[in-house]
Amino acid sequence: MSFIDNLATLNISIDTADSQPIYQQLTQQIRQLLLDQRLTPGEKLPSSRKLAQLLSISRTSTLNAYNQLIAEGMLISEPAVGVFVCTQKTSAGKSTAANKPALLRDNINPGTSREDKVAVFDAGPDVNQFPFSRWAGSLKRVWRNPDPALLRDFPLGGYLPLRESVARYIKAVRDVECHPQQVIITAGSRDAVALIASAASLAGEKVALEDPCYPPLRHGLSALGAKLKYSSVDSQGMLLPESKVRLAWITAARQYPLGVTMSTQRRLDWLEYARQHQCWIVEDDFDSEFHYSKLPLTPLFNLSARLYQSDQQSLILAGSFSKIFFKTLRIGYLVVPETLIDTFVSAQRQLGNLASVPIQPALADFIGDRRFAGHLRRMRRCYQQRRDFLQQLLHEKLAHKLDTQLPSGGMHLLAKLKSGVFTGDDCALERQLASRGVSAIALSNHYVDRGEQGLLLGYSGAPEKHLELGVRRLQEVLG
Ligand SMILES: Cc1ncc(COP(=O)(O)O)c(C=O)c1O
């Protein structure tokens, strides 16, 4: 997606009535886009003439703004080619003829610092396609005349209109029926872990966790005193534990990081196990909005509500907005059984309510807008295309070194290392790629005892040119 295609979402606005000169307004806004990394290193900007036309301002203003940012080392001009976003900074922050920043498509510089590293395999949302102008509209609408309740107290359980919007949202995307009171707004998965650990009194108790799993879960639960019991994952999903556990944390829709969808039979086995052992289940459904080839299976939450009495099951659905909005939003939610609403609200009262209150009404407004569904549909299509593109590329270029399978959904592809293709382990491979400016994540780090060797290659947040570059670097490193 080029700068011009993106112009509407980049939200550049020039106010001719403002006392600040137009070129300064433009300089500031482009500088902010660069600092926020909403323009990609190496990305070509429109010519000063074209930008002037698009924004209905004079060419002198766009030229002055570009020249200022070139002087600051944030943009680079390639004579007779165009103006580009710089890929690196010189020590003084200024570009010099001797130390000219190279363009992304030609070179990602070995030894770039972590901050400068391009997330070539990015498993986050593509923030460049996020409708920021609508988001700004939601924030403005809500905060121009704020609900006084927002200014006084932390609403326990979360801001009610957001709980209502989330209840409608999960009905639409997952067919989960619940009352708004069952929705507990969290500040993301770490907050969810703390709330659940407190509500279920997990200190000293056995907790079943998938092996491999999302590492922050392992660290979070053990820091809170849970005794972790690891269960392997086979082609039907997480295996049942051999002994009684107090709680099981399951990524049933798509196992993280392996991508396995739990079979219906295994789901039923887990629910029966939970009934027999009075074990709590957390169904961690962090990205099932993004399914491509087939429709997701019925959530454990719905199966449990259908098959068991409310006092027989403690099933909690955990969701996140990190994969739909942007990682730094830090808002997620739990859907808890009616019998546990009070327990969770008091856990939140005791631990403190961490979810940002200012963001909650804007989020309610934003996801309540019917255009939100259109955004999700567009992102699903885009991620599916990127998944297919990366799979095809890996198949063409690296099939003799890597085993890959097309995931039915999600935001990353798992590439297992064939034996003998690389002398070090996958962590060494991750480091070598990082030194070439490529972010990919070692699979073995997700296992408690160093399991299979491979890489998690994110595609959702990576345009095709990044994926091509990443595969090229992978070819170089794997030889
Ligand atoms: C298993 C799992 N749960 C939850 C999350 C989301 O966490 P958060 O809401 O803190 O961003 C992720 C993100 O990758 C995940 O892999």
Side-chain angles (χ1 to χ4, degrees), residues 219-237:
H219 300 307
L221 284 164
S222 72
L224 291 163
K227 290 189 196 149
L228 301 182
K229 298 283 156 199
Y230 291 98
S231 292
S232 314
V233 176
D234 68 10
S235 60
Q236 293 196 62

Side-chain angles (χ1 to χ4, degrees), residues 17 22 119 121 133 161 164 193 215 237 262 264 275 295 306 341 355 373 387 391 451 467 473:
I22 289 176
F121 290 118
S133 50
E164 289 165 351
V193 167
M262 185 177 276
T264 303
R275 187 193 64 77
L295 283 175
R306 241 176 256 161
I341 296 173
R387 173 200 67 162
Q391 167 75 3
L467 298 174
R473 294 293 183 259

Side-chain angles (χ1 to χ4, degrees), residues 273-346:
Y273 172 92
R275 187 193 64 77
Q276 272 177 23
H277 296 283
Q278 295 184 344
C279 153
W280 288 35
I281 292 184
V282 178
E283 179 176 25
D284 185 346
D285 193 5
F286 62 100
D287 73 350
S288 77
E289 282 83 357
F290 302 114
H291 51 81
Y292 314 125
S293 350
K294 47 185 184 203
L295 283 175
L297 294 178
T298 312
L300 280 165
F301 191 89
N302 290 4
L303 281 178
S304 161
R306 241 176 256 161
L307 299 174
Y308 294 93
Q309 310 287 336
S310 58
D311 59 348
Q312 291 180 316
Q313 296 270 284
S314 296
L315 210 142
I316 296 149
L317 177 75
S320 169
F321 285 111
S322 302
K323 301 289 188 187
I324 307 169
F325 281 68
F326 31 90
K327 276 188 249 187
T328 51
L329 187 78
R330 306 307 318 141
I331 296 276
Y333 53 89
L334 298 173
V335 185
V336 305
E338 287 184 65
T339 47
L340 289 177
I341 296 173
D342 289 346
T343 312
F344 272 86
V345 169
S346 15

Side-chain angles (χ1 to χ4, degrees), residues 159-318:
Y159 182 59
L160 189 58
L162 178 59
R163 297 166 86 184
E164 289 165 351
S165 289
V166 171
R168 281 192 295 274
Y169 170 70
I170 55 177
K171 169 69 187 150
V173 296
R174 298 196 180 91
D175 200 25
V176 165
E177 301 261 10
C178 68
H179 301 301
Q181 300 292 343
Q182 289 175 260
V183 176
I184 307 288
I185 303 299
T186 69
S189 60
R190 275 179 62 184
D191 186 26
V193 167
L195 275 174
I196 291 169
S198 165
S201 309
L202 291 185
E205 296 284 346
K206 290 182 189 160
V207 170
L209 210 54
E210 295 162 331
D211 188 30
C213 74
Y214 181 50
L217 270 184
R218 187 162 65 221
H219 300 307
L221 284 164
S222 72
L224 291 163
K227 290 189 196 149
L228 301 182
K229 298 283 156 199
Y230 291 98
S231 292
S232 314
V233 176
D234 68 10
S235 60
Q236 293 196 62
M238 182 184 190
L239 294 170
L240 272 70
E242 276 154 22
S243 59
K244 182 176 155 107
V245 295
R246 169 90 177 118
L247 180 142
W249 199 292
I250 309 179
T251 48
R254 195 169 15 269
Q255 204 279 332
Y256 185 86
L258 300 180
V260 176
T261 298
M262 185 177 276
S263 67
T264 303
Q265 185 54 53
R266 187 67 57 79
R267 286 168 196 244
L268 295 172
D269 294 346
W270 265 108
L271 293 180
E272 189 45 29
Y273 172 92
R275 187 193 64 77
Q276 272 177 23
H277 296 283
Q278 295 184 344
C279 153
W280 288 35
I281 292 184
V282 178
E283 179 176 25
D284 185 346
D285 193 5
F286 62 100
D287 73 350
S288 77
E289 282 83 357
F290 302 114
H291 51 81
Y292 314 125
S293 350
K294 47 185 184 203
L295 283 175
L297 294 178
T298 312
L300 280 165
F301 191 89
N302 290 4
L303 281 178
S304 161
R306 241 176 256 161
L307 299 174
Y308 294 93
Q309 310 287 336
S310 58
D311 59 348
Q312 291 180 316
Q313 296 270 284
S314 296
L315 210 142
I316 296 149
L317 177 75

Side-chain angles (χ1 to χ4, degrees), residues 41-96:
E43 185 171 340
K44 187 174 183 185
L45 273 69
S47 67
S48 55
R49 194 182 304 280
K50 182 80 194 162
L51 187 62
Q53 263 172 17
L54 290 167
L55 297 174
S56 308
I57 56 178
S58 77
R59 183 157 174 246
T60 316
S61 301
T62 54
L63 267 177
N64 283 344
Y66 277 175
N67 282 337
Q68 176 63 34
L69 293 165
I70 288 167
E72 289 175 17
M74 300 187 96
L75 298 180
I76 184 165
S77 159
E78 290 277 297
V81 185
V83 176
F84 296 84
V85 177
C86 231
T87 57
Q88 59 182 349
K89 291 185 192 112
T90 65
S91 52
K94 297 201 174 187
S95 55
T96 64

